[in-house]
């Protein structure tokens, strides 16, 4: 690694165009089928601009095939068979940085990696303090990437050249990174750990998407209304109407009404036109100000924003305020305070100290053991074992009577984690 990282301003093979036709897709499949080795992959979405989370651009690189930038939305419009691309890769491993973000989109398209190498997971296992893609490429290759468009509206067409350049750079160096990181993983005795983590991430990412059981409760700072059921009714009604309109117009919900506006309306509960007008955010179009080119992207959605008049929000609030107590929503009882293994153990150590100081002592002993194992293996403690698993174990009655290995496995720990910590944790919680 060089002392001063050198800038890679564009891919060594040049900036590719976007494949958006069936003929172009067939050509990509032929190129990648004739090439060999692992496949670098990435995807770009339009989060913050569009309603959905679908991929608007997917990027691949394979030695001998170069980089392909593919427009999945356009190709789906032509009815292409994504199985042709799976077949072209022949079960090759995909190299992805932070695969948990991209695998669900690939699964939606019908793309299936034969195996996975996640450079972010590898970086964490190797104990790197910075594990973003730019930091990892600097650490291993002495190269810094020209990265300027991470928050762009990737649904925009045609994609400007510098956006395509940004997208191509995301896969340009992944193949070199995989080779070097595999060597380090083997040197540290962590190759097997990594393979288990990769397989787990792949299975999770390709499985069904997890839906929030009560989606309107995802409003930021909803907890300020936990003792205000009428306010919760307002927040729920505004969220539901915002979600309906956002889906209808294919626009990010926060571009129609911000979470902070929902909370303000729920707290103040405007009952007449004057009180409603006093909440400025309900009467003005949402404007995003980043100080950069993003502002122009957001302005493209202004015509949609103007279609939703303030009277919509006022009507929703009035209907919510007219509900009777029997129709008010309530916050779900926090599972964190459940005893005897029902739900997750509390995160707050004050709860442990106040209700079960003996369990807190047990947890502290277990944590010291995990910390020592982390230091001995030069691996972050949260990678050694998920902290919630240890909290759940120590929160139960008589954990010393339990089969710790079996408990951790049921919680979701991988085999390498169980083998590494179970015996030591068992000894200290007796």
């Amino acid at each position: 690694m060089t002392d001063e990282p050198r800038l890679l301003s564009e891919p060594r093979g040049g900036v590719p165009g976007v494949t958006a036709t069936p003929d172009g897709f067939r050509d990509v499949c032929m190129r990648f089928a004739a090439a060999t080795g692992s496949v670098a992959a990435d995807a770009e979405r339009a989060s913050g601009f569009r309603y959905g989370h679908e991929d608007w651009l997917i990027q691949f690189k394979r030695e001998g095939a170069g980089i392909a930038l593919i427009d999945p939305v356009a190709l789906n419009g032509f009815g292409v068979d994504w199985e042709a691309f799976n077949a072209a890769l022949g079960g090759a491993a995909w190299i992805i940085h932070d695969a948990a973000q991209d695998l669900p989109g690939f699964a939606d398209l019908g793309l299936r990696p034969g195996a996975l190498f996640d450079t972010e997971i590898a970086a964490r296992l190797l104990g790197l303090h910075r594990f973003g893609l730019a930091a990892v490429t600097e650490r291993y290759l002495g190269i810094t990437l020209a990265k300027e468009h991470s928050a762009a509206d990737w649904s925009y067409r045609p994609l400007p050249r510098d956006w395509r350049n940004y997208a191509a750079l995301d896969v340009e160096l992944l193949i070199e990174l995989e080779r070097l990181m595999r060597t380090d993983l083997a040197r540290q005795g962590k190759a097997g750990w990594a393979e288990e983590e990769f397989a787990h991430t792949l299975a999770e990412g390709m499985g069904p998407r997890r839906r929030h059981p009560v989606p309107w409760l995802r409003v930021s700072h909803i907890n300020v209304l936990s003792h205000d059921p009428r306010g919760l009714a307002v927040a729920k009604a505004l969220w539901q109407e915002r979600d309906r309109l956002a889906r209808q117009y294919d626009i990010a919900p926060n571009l129609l009404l911000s979470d902070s506006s929902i909370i303000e309306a729920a707290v103040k509960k405007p009952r007449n036109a004057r009180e409603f007008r006093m909440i400025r955010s309900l009467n003005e179009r949402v404007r995003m100000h980043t100080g950069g080119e993003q502002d122009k992207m957001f302005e493209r959605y202004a015509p949609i924003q103007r279609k939703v008049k303030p009277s919509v929000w006022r009507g929703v609030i009035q209907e919510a305020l007219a509900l009777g107590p029997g129709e008010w929503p309530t916050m779900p009882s926090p599972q964190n305070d459940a005893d005897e293994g029902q739900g997750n153990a509390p995160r707050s150590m004050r709860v442990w100290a106040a209700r079960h100081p003996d369990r807190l002592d047990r947890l502290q002993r277990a944590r010291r053991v995990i910390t020592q194992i982390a230091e001995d293996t030069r691996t972050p403690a949260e990678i050694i074992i998920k902290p919630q698993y240890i909290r759940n174990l120590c929160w139960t009655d008589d954990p010393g009577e339990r089969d710790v290995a079996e408990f951790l496995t049921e919680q979701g720990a991988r085999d390498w984690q169980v083998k590494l910590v179970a015996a030591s944790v068992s000894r200290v919680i007796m």
Side-chain angles (χ1 to χ4, degrees), residues 241-273:
E241 181 64 7
R242 182 185 71 171
D243 189 72
R244 185 188 71 80
L245 291 168
R247 185 189 297 271
Q248 175 183 333
Y249 291 119
D250 190 15
I251 188 173
N254 275 330
L255 291 183
L256 293 182
L257 187 68
S258 68
D259 280 7
S260 61
S261 298
I262 290 178
I263 296 298
E264 184 178 5
V267 169
K268 294 182 176 178
K269 304 176 186 64
R271 295 182 177 276
N272 53 50

Side-chain angles (χ1 to χ4, degrees), residues 146-264:
K147 308 288 283 176
E148 299 158 354
H149 303 287
S150 59
D153 178 5
W154 290 95
S155 67
Y156 181 73
R157 294 295 184 272
L159 286 176
R161 183 186 187 279
D162 55 339
W163 294 21
R164 290 185 281 114
N165 181 59
Y166 166 93
L169 286 173
D170 271 343
V171 294
E172 170 71 355
L173 301 174
L174 290 179
I175 294 171
E176 291 98 315
L177 282 179
E178 179 202 19
R179 292 170 182 156
L180 294 170
M181 298 183 88
R182 281 194 185 278
T183 298
D184 264 6
L185 289 166
R187 181 175 54 81
Q188 292 189 22
K190 298 176 180 178
W193 300 2
E195 291 304 327
E196 286 191 46
E197 289 300 306
F198 298 157
H200 173 77
T201 300
L202 181 58
E204 287 282 302
M206 299 302 288
R209 289 183 186 258
R210 293 182 180 178
R211 308 295 181 184
H212 194 288
V214 191
W216 65 271
L217 287 177
R218 293 179 299 179
V219 172
S220 299
H221 305 298
I222 191 70
N223 286 336
V224 304
L225 302 171
S226 57
H227 301 296
D228 181 3
R230 191 185 292 274
L232 286 174
V234 173
K236 177 182 178 181
L238 285 172
W239 184 93
Q240 290 177 330
E241 181 64 7
R242 182 185 71 171
D243 189 72
R244 185 188 71 80
L245 291 168
R247 185 189 297 271
Q248 175 183 333
Y249 291 119
D250 190 15
I251 188 173
N254 275 330
L255 291 183
L256 293 182
L257 187 68
S258 68
D259 280 7
S260 61
S261 298
I262 290 178
I263 296 298
E264 184 178 5

